[in-house]
Amino acid sequence: MTSTASYREVLHVVIPLVLSNMAFTVMQFTDRVLLARHSSEAIQAALPAGIVAFTLVAFFASIAAYSGTFVAQYYGAKDDNACRRACAAGIHLSILFIPVYLLLLPLSYWLLDIAGHPQALQALERPYAFWNIVGGPFLATQWVLGGYLSGTGRATICSIVSVVGCGLNILLDVLFIFGPAGCPSLGIPGTFATVLRIPEMGVEGASIATMLSCIFSCILCAFFVALAPQNRNAPLRDWLVPDFSLIARIVRFGLPTGIQMFFDCGAFAVFVLLTGRLDALSLAASNIVLSINNLAFSILNGLSNAAAILTGQYQGARRPELARSAGYRCLHLGWIYMTIIAAIFIGFTRELLEIFQSPGAPYTVDELYHLGRTLICCIIVWGFFDTMNIVLIGALKGAGDTLFIMLALCLGSWLLWIPSEMLCLNVWNGGIVDAWIVQTVYIILLSFVFLYRWHRGKWQEIRVIDP
């Protein structure tokens, strides 16, 4: 019996999940480009408001979505009934969290207010955050259902749902952002918006489009889950009656993931809000390059998801040696991918930055290029190290090592990274380049922490599911 996972096995899971994340990346990239073409204020407002909203929503959504790890491990243990019960428990958690999402709205407004952004920018940030938080329950449910499909070997269906949902989001973006006016600079007419009487909504329109596409993807995922052979004749009570012991077990392992997501995303939100106090060029260049960064790193999230699924399945089958090799195989693929991305970033720096140039921006294309080129160099440097963070965090989550991930990221972010950024920007009066260099050093240090944890293998002793 082999003790090493083959690249063929890994790619069978990786390719559909990477395609799924590529679709999301294209959607997000198009969303940012359309907002930039609408106005320079729109692109400046979308990133901080989006990060604040996602930070609050992701805490609860990631707890419910950890049911996907249970599904993967039960699938490895060849227990279809337990897979279904784990998915149902995740859905019940998503429903239980609905009242909490509504309570998050005042908190999101307060966080955006204390950032100290200009009033005109705050007026755009609030509605963007509102619709992203209102759509939170659907995002959580979509993550749960997607985790079931991927964990039970149906990752291809997830990629199909993602492509269709993201295509719908782009279409709705065009309609809701520009309305009847259309976008002449991109050759997009406003004919359909005129016929459908959809007004020009700018930033708010983009967030409404995201919520509607999320609802559609959620319904589509539910349809495919119901059609799965092992679910067609399953009694309805399996889905409707809560299994509180399983819910409690999911919360036990998923809560550290939620806390980690909250404080990790929160740290990044603080970073974005801190840099938002700099001049317009620094803010725009930082937000634009972060959007370009998402274009690359969303693919790595697909590798991270694949590593979590493979690790979970092999751990469920009690084959830790295969889980270890699968994690390293995903890491190797991530480094190959980052080499290609680095070459693209170096060869097409100006072209990538010019895509986001807004009409009437208070800076020239050359100014944006000179500053953006330096920030892109930071992305290239930290990319190879952050690949270790992203992939190995996914692998450790699949094994149930969520407590270590939470401690490493929370302590690292709030005791090292954010204090260093505050010293850099507020005490030493550093600029955006200095802030990005601090972030690069932090990511490099963090990568060796997770590599050491994975190599030691303490995660092999964790038991997520009952024998």
Side-chain angles (χ1 to χ4, degrees), residues 85-411:
R85 287 190 293 109
C87 180
I91 294 173
H92 294 148
L93 275 173
S94 300
I95 295 171
L96 288 172
F97 289 147
I98 288 177
V100 182
Y101 287 111
L102 300 178
L103 297 175
L104 295 176
L105 287 170
L107 178 59
S108 69
Y109 296 158
W110 177 74
L111 290 171
L112 291 169
D113 288 344
I114 64 173
H117 292 173
Q119 288 294 325
L121 211 58
Q122 289 185 34
L124 298 177
E125 290 171 341
R126 281 195 169 204
Y128 192 88
F130 173 84
W131 291 109
N132 275 278
I133 291 175
V134 168
F138 300 102
L139 178 67
T141 306
Q142 183 188 348
W143 283 4
V144 170
L145 295 170
Y148 177 86
L149 292 170
S150 300
T152 54
R154 294 171 175 80
T156 301
I157 295 177
C158 279
S159 65
I160 294 172
V161 172
S162 294
V163 169
V164 174
C166 292
L168 176 64
N169 196 335
I170 292 172
L171 175 63
L172 294 177
D173 269 342
V174 172
L175 292 174
F176 291 163
I177 292 175
F178 300 103
C183 181
S185 63
L186 291 176
I188 298 175
T191 308
F192 288 106
T194 303
V195 172
L196 298 172
R197 297 184 179 181
I198 299 174
E200 178 182 346
M201 291 184 279
V203 172
E204 184 176 11
S207 60
I208 294 174
T210 300
M211 183 192 67
L212 292 177
S213 65
C214 183
I215 294 173
F216 175 80
S217 297
C218 186
I219 295 171
L220 202 56
C221 278
F223 174 76
F224 283 115
V225 169
L227 282 183
Q230 65 270 33
N231 295 331
R232 289 175 187 170
N233 297 319
L236 196 59
R237 68 181 306 277
D238 283 3
W239 295 104
L240 297 180
V241 179
D243 185 339
F244 290 106
S245 63
L246 185 54
I247 289 174
R249 197 168 179 84
I250 290 173
V251 171
R252 174 191 163 191
F253 284 94
L255 184 60
T257 298
I259 294 172
Q260 168 253 309
M261 286 283 286
F262 178 78
F263 283 101
D264 193 31
C265 293
F268 187 69
V270 170
F271 171 75
V272 171
L273 295 175
L274 284 172
T275 56
R277 298 180 179 182
L278 300 174
D279 59 278
L281 173 60
S282 295
L283 176 59
S286 182
N287 288 356
I288 287 170
V289 176
L290 284 173
S291 297
I292 295 172
N293 177 61
N294 290 339
L295 180 66
F297 282 81
S298 288
I299 307 302
L300 291 177
N301 288 333
L303 278 167
S304 178
N305 294 339
I309 290 167
L310 289 165
T311 303
Q313 289 176 348
Y314 289 135
Q315 282 291 93
R318 299 295 182 259
R319 299 293 306 278
E321 72 283 357
L322 289 176
R324 175 187 287 271
S325 64
Y328 281 124
R329 292 286 189 265
C330 289
L331 183 55
H332 298 159
L333 293 172
W335 279 331
I336 292 171
Y337 167 75
M338 275 311 304
T339 302
I340 298 170
I341 286 297
I344 293 173
F345 281 175
I346 292 171
F348 299 95
T349 303
R350 179 177 284 272
E351 289 79 3
L352 287 168
L353 292 169
E354 286 181 350
I355 292 174
F356 291 90
Q357 177 65 9
S358 302
Y363 47 81
T364 65
V365 175
D366 286 336
E367 288 174 328
L368 178 63
Y369 169 70
H370 288 301
L371 180 55
R373 178 179 57 184
T374 304
L375 301 186
I376 284 180
C377 287
C378 290
I379 289 178
I380 294 172
V381 171
W382 86 41
F384 291 93
F385 296 95
D386 211 19
T387 298
M388 284 195 283
N389 290 325
I390 295 170
V391 173
L392 295 181
I393 284 174
L396 290 168
K397 281 182 180 179
D401 200 6
T402 53
L403 183 60
F404 176 82
I405 297 170
M406 179 194 75
L407 293 174
L409 288 174
C410 292
L411 295 177

